[in-house]
Amino acid sequence: MRERYIKGEDINNVEIKVSLDKNLVYIQSIFDKASDLVVKRFQIGINHPINVAIIYISGISEKKVINDNILKNLMVNSRNQNFKENITTTGIRNIILNTLLPVAGVTVKEHSDELIQALLEGKTILLVDNLSEGFSLSTENEDSRGQDPETETVVRGPKEGFTEDYNTNISLIRRRIKTPDLKFEKYVVGRVSKTDVVIVYLQGIVEQALVEEVRERIRRIDIDIINESANIEQLIEDDPYSPFPQMNNTERPDGVASALNEGRIAIIIDGTPFVLLLPTVFIHFLQSTEDYYERFLYPTVIRLLRLLAFFTALLAPSIYVAITTYHQEMIPTPLLISIVASRTGVPFPSVLEALLMEITFEALREAGLRLPRPVGQAVSIVGALVIGEAAVQAGLVSRAMVIVVALTGIASFIIPAYNMGISIRLLRFPVMFLAGSFGMFGITFAFLALLIHLSSLRSFGIPYLSPITPINLSGLKDSIFKVPEWMKNKRSTFISKEDKKRIRTNAKPGPSNKQGEDND
């Protein structure tokens, strides 16, 4: 837990006030903009009733336990309790513990930080007027668990994903980030659907200008129905005409927790398990959650492989078309002879051959996605094998083109972000047209045009090619190359310049001095 929460005020060892109103104002100020915080005030006793309040966080606390074991006991049992006007604080405490709440898991707290920690653990807090103590009641929701993420599977890491219920999704994030700095701002979007949209961020880490920009874009939305996070994404992105996605989406709570800790913002939409993350730069689409669960060497190699796969998926068919059509001198003679032999009898030029194979491959991939899963896998695999072999045997395409298209398809599957993969699949076709018309000059023109576009693109004000250009040294530690965790002592400042410290300095692991002395 962070030491300071609210405007630099240290909450550690702050004693609970006698006044119930002051205690409620203090706790609500700490949990400011937390839409899942529930406060219920009521009275107990007769003749001289006492004002009390219970506080809990919806989602991580069990509402049934609160209603049946706490509220019912307090309200029903207190009907027979005649409080005296001059009753002592010790008397109130004993009556609550022994008569009104004869349940297990009740502890007395004397400091505000203890109450806050109890709330973040899923407990319910009972505050009593004129009593400088609080009661922590065990009401943790042990059964709340997300579904298995289907689009972001990992070998090592949590096997838990978001669901269509936004309350469950909020609780999944709460369980990973136990600090009142975690803020949830709720909006209702859609004139007809009245969809709940929640903005999530870490106060003290995120840039407040970014939070205000997201708020303003959400407020500007005026639409009938919101069915999925993609509807929100298309209405708040910076450049709606760009083929590249400017926001990432995930169904993994651990991925959202890591993004929030970087100073990014998450948007939860009721009715979908996909949570939006912003701002998002190009390098984020080449990173996977599992990269942070393995030692730094493996993620670095894999990210280089993904970058190679990006260029392969985008340019491989175009380069093949350009070389075989205009630049045969670039091919070694033995390879050229093999390619010419494989193209013998093919009636189409290379560009038309590539387009025919790419369209067929995309049709098979789409058919595999839309059919039921057992049938879809069989159609995509068997269809590719049968059609590819039949096309070669019929002399419609060459074997070399089948290999190029297969490598291109495999490369597009390597990219972790599905929305970035779609962009590459679409851009592949105009690049092929340019390659078939102008050769390598057309490919160079297309590559420069894409580079200029990416350089001018922004995601909520953040340059799309950050931290490479403009260069940011702290961001480069977790870009294409990943340094060990103990070396990332500062957060990436290209996203947020607030609270730069991420881990203590000199955190390199190793044996302790005492252990080293013993070994000597």
Side-chain angles (χ1 to χ4, degrees):
M1 182 184 293
R2 294 159 57 83
E3 292 182 356
R4 300 179 184 275
Y5 301 98
I6 173 173
K7 298 180 181 180
E9 182 181 353
D10 193 348
I11 72 164
N12 292 328
N13 298 321
V14 174
E15 294 185 353
I16 300 173
K17 306 293 189 299
V18 175
S19 171
L20 175 62
D21 293 331
K22 290 183 179 180
N23 289 326
L24 291 179
V25 169
Y26 183 75
I27 292 178
Q28 287 176 318
S29 65
I30 291 177
F31 284 93
D32 181 38
K33 295 184 175 65
S35 60
D36 55 344
L37 184 72
V38 179
V39 178
K40 180 175 178 58
R41 299 186 58 161
F42 55 97
Q43 291 182 332
I44 59 175
I46 57 176
N47 292 338
H48 299 285
I50 298 176
N51 294 318
V52 300
I54 63 168
I55 310 172
Y56 64 93
I57 296 178
S58 176
I60 61 175
S61 299
E62 182 58 58
K63 292 184 180 179
K64 182 175 177 57
V65 175
I66 295 172
N67 292 328
D68 295 345
N69 296 351
I70 298 176
L71 287 176
K72 186 176 180 180
N73 282 337
L74 286 174
M75 293 181 174
V76 174
N77 294 343
S78 64
R79 292 176 184 174
N80 301 323
Q81 199 63 236
N82 186 5
F83 291 112
K84 299 178 181 179
E85 186 175 2
N86 57 350
I87 187 172
T88 63
T89 57
T90 303
I92 296 176
R93 185 197 312 117
N94 292 336
I95 291 174
I96 291 176
L97 290 176
N98 301 326
T99 304
L100 301 184
L101 285 178
V103 295
V106 181
T107 57
V108 180
K109 306 293 184 182
E110 297 180 353
H111 297 94
S112 295
D113 58 331
E114 297 175 335
L115 294 181
I116 292 169
Q117 184 61 38
L119 281 172
L120 295 171
E121 292 172 356
K123 295 180 173 63
T124 297
I125 298 304
L126 172 64
L127 295 175
V128 182
D129 197 19
N130 295 322
L131 185 62
S132 59
E133 295 174 334
F135 300 91
S136 172
L137 316 174
S138 182
T139 58
E140 297 90 336
N141 188 353
E142 303 292 346
D143 299 329
S144 178
R145 188 188 186 280
Q147 61 190 8
D148 294 336
E150 296 183 0
T151 60
E152 298 175 89
T153 57
V154 295
V155 177
R156 180 179 180 180
K159 309 295 184 181
E160 190 175 50
F162 290 122
T163 69
E164 283 76 11
D165 180 35
Y166 83 103
N167 287 313
T168 301
N169 298 339
I170 290 176
S171 67
L172 292 174
I173 299 175
R174 277 283 189 197
R175 293 178 185 277
R176 284 166 174 79
I177 305 180
K178 297 180 180 179
T179 170
D181 284 335
L182 183 62
K183 304 301 181 182
F184 296 89
E185 296 186 21
K186 182 179 175 181
Y187 298 85
V188 178
V189 182
R191 294 190 298 266
V192 177
S193 63
K194 305 295 182 183
T195 305
D196 293 314
V197 177
V198 182
I199 299 175
V200 191
Y201 59 91
L202 268 174
Q203 184 175 332
I205 294 181
V206 70
E207 292 275 1
Q208 287 303 311
L210 175 61
V211 177
E212 188 55 42
E213 178 67 21
V214 175
R215 290 173 184 158
E216 181 60 28
R217 296 193 190 189
I218 294 291
R219 293 191 192 106
R220 289 206 309 257
I221 297 177
D222 186 10
I223 193 172
D224 287 338
I225 294 178
I226 296 292
N227 286 324
E228 218 279 330
S229 58
N231 301 134
I232 297 290
E233 178 181 359
Q234 296 171 38
L235 293 172
I236 65 174
E237 60 186 353
D238 287 64
D239 189 351
Y241 297 106
S242 174
F244 293 96
Q246 294 135 62
M247 278 173 274
N248 207 346
N249 60 80
T250 180
E251 53 178 339
R252 297 189 60 88
D254 55 327
V256 171
S258 299
L260 294 176
N261 194 45
E262 294 175 4
R264 299 168 69 188
I265 294 177
I267 301 180
I268 302 174
I269 295 91
D270 190 24
T272 175
F274 291 94
V275 174
L276 298 177
L277 295 176
L278 56 96
T280 302
V281 297
F282 174 77
I283 202 65
H284 287 151
F285 295 102
L286 301 182
Q287 298 175 351
S288 171
T289 307
E290 194 173 9
D291 294 349
Y292 300 93
Y293 303 141
E294 299 291 346
R295 300 179 70 249
F296 69 99
L297 290 175
Y298 177 75
T300 297
V301 174
I302 291 299
R303 288 179 182 180
L304 290 173
L305 177 62
R306 291 172 188 153
L307 186 62
L308 177 62
F310 172 85
F311 289 111
T312 301
L314 179 63
L315 302 175
S318 304
I319 292 175
Y320 175 82
V321 169
I323 291 178
T324 56
T325 306
Y326 297 99
H327 312 286
Q328 295 89 349
E329 69 279 1
M330 297 177 62
I331 308 175
T333 303
L335 179 59
L336 178 62
I337 295 173
S338 177
I339 293 176
V340 171
S342 68
R343 284 189 50 79
T344 302
V346 177
F348 306 113
S350 295
V351 61
L352 189 57
E353 181 186 8
L355 286 173
L356 179 64
M357 286 300 298
E358 285 292 343
I359 292 174
T360 304
F361 185 84
E362 292 298 330
L364 285 171
R365 174 152 52 180
E366 188 67 16
L369 287 175
R370 303 308 159 202
L371 288 172
R373 185 175 300 176
V375 180
Q377 292 177 351
V379 168
S380 59
I381 297 174
V382 176
L385 294 174
V386 172
I387 293 178
E389 183 63 26
V392 172
Q393 293 294 333
L396 298 177
V397 296
S398 63
R399 296 184 182 276
M401 178 57 72
V402 173
I403 294 174
V404 170
V405 172
L407 287 175
T408 303
I410 293 172
S412 65
F413 289 138
I414 293 176
I415 299 172
Y418 179 72
N419 49 359
M420 178 59 77
I422 294 176
S423 301
I424 297 171
R425 288 158 56 187
L426 292 177
L427 291 172
R428 188 186 303 154
F429 290 97
V431 177
M432 277 193 292
F433 277 114
L434 289 173
S437 302
F438 305 102
M440 293 299 295
F441 297 102
I443 295 177
T444 304
F445 173 78
F447 185 77
L448 290 176
L450 288 175
L451 191 60
I452 292 172
H453 174 69
L454 289 173
S455 300
S456 62
L457 200 60
R458 297 289 187 273
S459 176
F460 288 82
I462 305 298
Y464 201 64
L465 293 182
S466 299
I468 299 174
T469 175
I471 191 169
N472 183 277
L473 296 180
S474 61
L476 288 175
K477 293 182 178 181
D478 187 19
S479 54
I480 298 176
F481 300 95
K482 181 180 182 296
V483 301
E485 285 295 317
W486 52 269
M487 291 183 63
K488 295 190 295 183
N489 56 324
K490 292 185 178 180
R491 291 183 175 87
S492 301
T493 54
F494 72 91
I495 294 179
S496 174
K497 295 180 174 59
E498 300 288 336
D499 194 5
K500 299 178 183 179
K501 187 174 181 180
R502 178 182 174 273
I503 191 174
R504 68 177 179 87
T505 55
N506 301 322
K508 182 178 179 180
S512 62
N513 294 332
K514 183 178 180 179
Q515 183 178 355
E517 294 172 0
D518 293 341
N519 291 336
D520 292 339

